[in-house]
Amino acid sequence: MTDHRPDPFDQLRNAPAPRPRDAAKAAALAAARAAFEAETEKSKIPAKGNPAARRLMSIFASFKRISIMDMRVPIGTAAIALLVLPLGWQLYSSTALSPTQSVSRPAPAPQPVEEAEPAPVDTRSEAPAVAPPVTTMPVAPEPMLESEAAPSMMRIPSAVPPPPAAPITLAQDSAMSPAYIGTSATEPSGDEFTSFDEQRLKIAAEEPVSTFSLDVDTASYSYVRRQLEDGFVPEPDAVRIEELINYFPYDYPAAPSADMPFKPTVKVFPTPWNDKTEIMAIGIRGYAPPAEAIPPSNLVFLIDTSGSMDEPDKLPLLKRSFALLLDQLSDKDTVSIVTYAGSAGVALEPTSASDKAKILSALDELGAGGSTAGAEGIELAYRLAEQGKVDGTNRVILATDGDFNVGIDDPKALEQFITKKRQSGISLSVLGFGRGNLDDATMQALAQNGNGNASYLSNFAEAKKVLVEEVGGTLHTIAQDVKVQVEFNPALVSEYRLIGYETRHLNREDFNNDAVDAGDIGAGHTVTALYEITPAGEGQVDPLRYGSETTQPAASGDELAFLKIRYKLPGESVSQLIEQPVTPSVAYDDIAVAGIDAQFATAVAAFGQKLRGSAYGSDMTWAEIEALARSARGMDEGGYRAEFVRLVRDAAMLEPDAE
């Protein structure tokens, strides 16, 4: 049905215009004049306050002092946008899932542009075409798909869920580490480590004898701790499990006298990560002589003062660390200081440790600068050590961040030089500082050839531990060339593997050869070695089809193994021997019954294996390692075991268990 009602707009358009009314026009003009006069009078009132601080009338003003009020909003908005948009984009880019994870979406297909239909022409009137005001009606936008949302309302696709929030340790928070919690944060550190393969499983019937050098270096643990606290997973070669285990003190029985500087403690108990194997733990505690029996020390500090040492955790920390050590020395000790950088020089001639002011002044004057090319650094240090040689401890302590250009460029020639000096009675210890330039491989090699220790001082607390709490073990040697040899009984042990000590392996024939160098034990030091052994009948390796049955010893009895330890007393060239059978009397059915030291050492071993990505012990979760270590904290006077528990939690956040 057609509607024939007249169009009101046509009626208005065709109607004649009304005649102007003189009265209305006069009233409007009068009102306008009154308003103008009122505004003029108001403008004559002086403004309050300083004219220079009057309200801003416009962002820009013309040369004729005309305020451009209509330009304030668009120009101000544009200026703010130019400032905010780049900052917003940078914030969005830096807070994305990760620098390498970007969400890519396919560009929407271009839609064809539809041409607007021409407006209908009204032909019913012949009146002049006066265009009416155009009113633009808002057009409702088409509904957007979720994947086509505007950037300001972008949603993360369900295929890439946001990472769950995880607690951050204080060390990680303060360091502002770029590592992402819950992801592996391993990256090249710039530090160099000796590459080695993990100890392999050995068949007792084929290789019943295991021989290694006993050492007490702890640099690996200190380095690993710093990396984890800063939010990084250390590279596998930086994790030397025996150094992690031996970082902690254990309550082994003390040795009776200096003539017998230690006696072994052996325990056998179930393995927490493998119910088919057992752990055989060997522990010793070095003899700690009374203060009056400690011989005098002749110490030469060989200090790296190159430009790379100019960082808070390097030369400044080194100075404070040596000041701590100075407080532990007696009046009968002497101290010398040699520096190497652009050139080598004597910063302090041999001086009695009682003259602390002179020694501290020499330390305080050291500054970092120049390249690392000490032409005579190492030779000058040994020359001073020989000059002040005493009947006691004669030691060069090399402190560096990893630059070993101490005058002998060839690493092999440097090791031979240090070995020759060791034979003359002067040992060498190495203290590492900082990171990014640390040459751990050279540090370990020099310390081993110099019959000394290698420690990594990551902070002041570690300096206190090494140079104050363990100063006796750091400076005073009670046993030299300590070697361990274990022979397993194939009748009761089918397989075994030594946990750690990969870089300290010795050949079987080296054990009785006193000319072969091995590790040294310091006063009061505790050393632990762990074997994972497999009882007969539970082996992982299939027996040989055509094997021989003649591998059984003539008289094996009930012994699991036979332990032998060789060592030399300081200043002697002929070794002494300790022997001890490992019998069922030292075996325990439960690790908890074996004692807290056994539990804690095993927890540290499991931690090191998991951190290295070992083929062994991977079934043990971080939570299980933490629980085992927590149950074995004991007295923990120094808080080192509690610190380790926290470290396990840090590792769990960076390397979560695979599901």
Side-chain angles (χ1 to χ4, degrees):
M1 182 175 181
T2 306
D3 188 359
H4 296 287
R5 288 180 298 179
D7 187 351
F9 293 99
D10 290 338
Q11 292 177 355
L12 291 174
R13 183 166 50 250
N14 297 327
R19 294 178 59 83
R21 292 181 296 171
D22 296 335
K25 179 179 180 181
L29 290 174
R33 291 192 184 97
F36 177 79
E37 292 173 358
E39 187 67 21
T40 303
E41 293 296 325
K42 183 178 179 181
S43 63
K44 295 179 181 179
I45 300 175
K48 297 180 180 180
N50 186 358
R54 295 178 63 187
R55 180 171 64 89
L56 179 66
M57 301 297 295
S58 172
I59 292 181
F60 298 104
S62 67
F63 292 108
K64 297 182 179 180
R65 307 291 297 174
I66 300 175
S67 299
I68 312 176
M69 291 296 295
D70 58 340
M71 292 294 290
R72 182 175 62 181
V73 173
I75 295 179
T77 303
I80 294 174
L82 290 175
L83 293 174
V84 172
L85 286 179
L87 295 177
W89 174 251
Q90 182 179 4
L91 178 63
Y92 172 78
S93 301
S94 62
T95 56
L97 291 177
S98 73
T100 59
Q101 293 177 349
S102 59
V103 180
S104 60
R105 298 175 300 158
Q111 301 294 331
V113 179
E114 298 181 359
E115 296 182 358
E117 296 181 359
V121 179
D122 188 359
T123 58
R124 292 176 294 177
S125 174
E126 300 296 334
V130 179
V134 179
T135 303
T136 304
M137 301 298 293
V139 180
E142 296 182 0
M144 285 191 299
L145 297 177
E146 182 171 317
S147 61
E148 297 175 352
S152 60
M153 301 177 61
M154 184 178 294
R155 301 181 184 178
I156 300 176
S158 58
V160 187
I168 302 177
T169 63
L170 291 177
Q172 293 167 338
D173 184 55
S174 62
M176 296 298 290
S177 168
Y180 292 96
I181 303 302
T183 62
S184 177
T186 303
E187 67 172 26
S189 62
D191 303 322
E192 298 181 7
F193 299 91
T194 301
S195 178
F196 60 89
D197 295 327
E198 187 175 28
Q199 295 275 12
R200 65 181 180 85
L201 192 68
K202 297 183 180 180
I203 302 174
E206 299 176 359
E207 299 179 76
V209 178
S210 171
T211 309
F212 63 96
S213 167
L214 205 61
D215 267 331
V216 291
D217 291 343
T218 60
S220 178
Y221 179 84
S222 183
Y223 182 87
V224 165
R225 178 186 59 200
R226 177 168 184 170
Q227 289 291 94
L228 290 175
E229 288 178 344
D230 286 350
F232 294 99
V233 177
E235 52 194 282
D237 288 337
V239 183
R240 293 185 291 272
I241 299 177
E242 75 279 2
E243 295 188 24
L244 271 58
I245 297 173
N246 289 324
Y247 180 85
F248 303 92
Y250 300 95
D251 191 21
Y252 300 134
S257 66
D259 294 333
M260 187 178 179
F262 50 79
K263 62 178 182 179
T265 299
V266 183
K267 292 183 179 181
V268 179
F269 46 87
T271 305
W273 59 79
N274 190 339
D275 57 6
K276 294 184 178 181
T277 64
E278 296 176 331
I279 297 293
M280 187 178 82
I282 304 170
I284 63 173
R285 182 180 181 182
Y287 173 71
E292 61 273 11
I294 297 177
S297 298
N298 168 37
L299 305 179
V300 180
F301 299 154
L302 178 57
I303 300 177
D304 179 2
T305 56
S306 61
S308 62
M309 291 288 288
D310 190 16
E311 295 182 18
D313 60 347
K314 295 183 180 181
L315 188 58
L317 176 59
L318 183 154
K319 292 180 180 180
R320 290 184 293 152
S321 302
F322 280 174
L324 284 178
L325 176 59
L326 184 61
D327 288 336
Q328 310 307 311
L329 302 180
S330 65
D331 294 347
K332 58 186 177 182
D333 300 326
T334 60
V335 173
S336 308
I337 300 177
V338 175
T339 64
Y340 72 96
S343 60
V346 177
L348 180 69
E349 295 285 350
T351 303
S352 172
S354 60
D355 196 351
K356 290 182 171 57
K358 182 178 180 180
I359 300 173
L360 290 175
S361 177
L363 279 172
D364 188 58
E365 291 177 1
L366 299 181
S371 60
T372 306
E376 299 177 352
I378 192 73
E379 296 176 332
L380 187 55
Y382 275 100
R383 195 181 310 155
L384 285 181
E386 292 172 352
Q387 177 182 332
K389 196 171 183 180
V390 297
D391 186 13
T393 300
N394 296 278
R395 189 181 298 267
V396 174
I397 301 178
L398 172 59
T400 179
D401 67 341
D403 288 323
F404 289 98
N405 293 332
V406 291
I408 302 177
D409 296 331
D410 183 8
K412 290 298 181 182
L414 181 59
E415 292 178 14
Q416 293 173 0
F417 176 82
I418 292 174
T419 299
K420 181 179 179 181
K421 295 299 181 181
R422 176 197 75 206
Q423 295 170 350
S424 69
I426 303 175
S427 57
L428 173 74
S429 291
V430 185
L431 300 179
F433 291 85
R435 63 180 174 187
N437 193 42
L438 187 69
D439 188 352
D440 178 84
T442 302
M443 187 171 80
Q444 294 290 325
L446 297 185
Q448 291 182 26
N449 282 274
N451 272 4
N453 313 110
S455 301
Y456 175 70
L457 305 190
S458 57
N459 51 41
F460 189 71
E462 185 65 17
K464 179 174 175 288
K465 177 180 184 292
V466 173
L467 301 177
V468 177
E469 298 174 7
E470 300 175 353
V471 64
T474 303
L475 298 182
H476 307 299
T477 301
I478 61 167
Q480 298 176 331
D481 294 340
V482 183
K483 307 171 187 175
V484 176
Q485 188 169 84
V486 179
E487 181 181 355
F488 291 95
N489 182 0
L492 299 179
V493 178
S494 62
E495 299 160 354
Y496 70 90
R497 69 179 184 92
L498 178 61
I499 301 177
Y501 290 96
E502 286 88 354
T503 62
R504 293 166 172 84
H505 168 78
L506 294 176
N507 296 322
R508 179 178 175 180
E509 61 271 17
D510 295 336
F511 183 74
N512 293 325
N513 187 351
D514 287 343
V516 175
D517 180 54
D520 295 351
I521 304 297
H525 263 165
T526 58
V527 191
T528 304
L530 302 180
Y531 281 94
E532 184 177 5
I533 61 176
T534 307
E538 299 289 344
Q540 302 179 33
V541 181
D542 294 334
L544 295 175
R545 179 179 179 86
Y546 306 106
S548 171
E549 298 293 336
T550 61
T551 57
Q552 299 294 337
S556 59
D558 61 353
E559 295 176 2
L560 294 174
F562 195 75
L563 170 66
K564 295 187 292 185
I565 301 178
R566 279 199 175 276
Y567 67 94
K568 299 174 186 175
L569 292 175
E572 297 187 359
S573 57
V574 179
S575 65
Q576 300 188 32
L577 177 65
I578 297 176
E579 296 179 315
Q580 180 175 320
V582 182
T583 64
S585 62
V586 299
Y588 299 85
D589 294 332
D590 189 344
I591 188 174
V593 182
I596 59 174
D597 284 342
Q599 296 176 60
F600 191 81
T602 306
V604 178
F607 169 81
Q609 291 178 145
K610 195 172 184 67
L611 202 59
R612 273 190 56 84
S614 168
Y616 307 94
S618 58
D619 292 338
M620 197 170 184
T621 66
W622 292 115
E624 291 171 339
I625 296 174
E626 180 184 346
L628 181 60
R630 187 184 298 276
S631 66
R633 282 177 55 181
M635 295 296 294
D636 194 24
E637 295 181 359
Y640 301 120
R641 296 191 180 189
E643 177 189 66
F644 173 76
V645 172
R646 294 193 297 270
L647 209 62
V648 175
R649 291 199 294 265
D650 289 346
M653 288 190 292
L654 295 170
E655 286 279 301
D657 295 311
E659 297 181 357

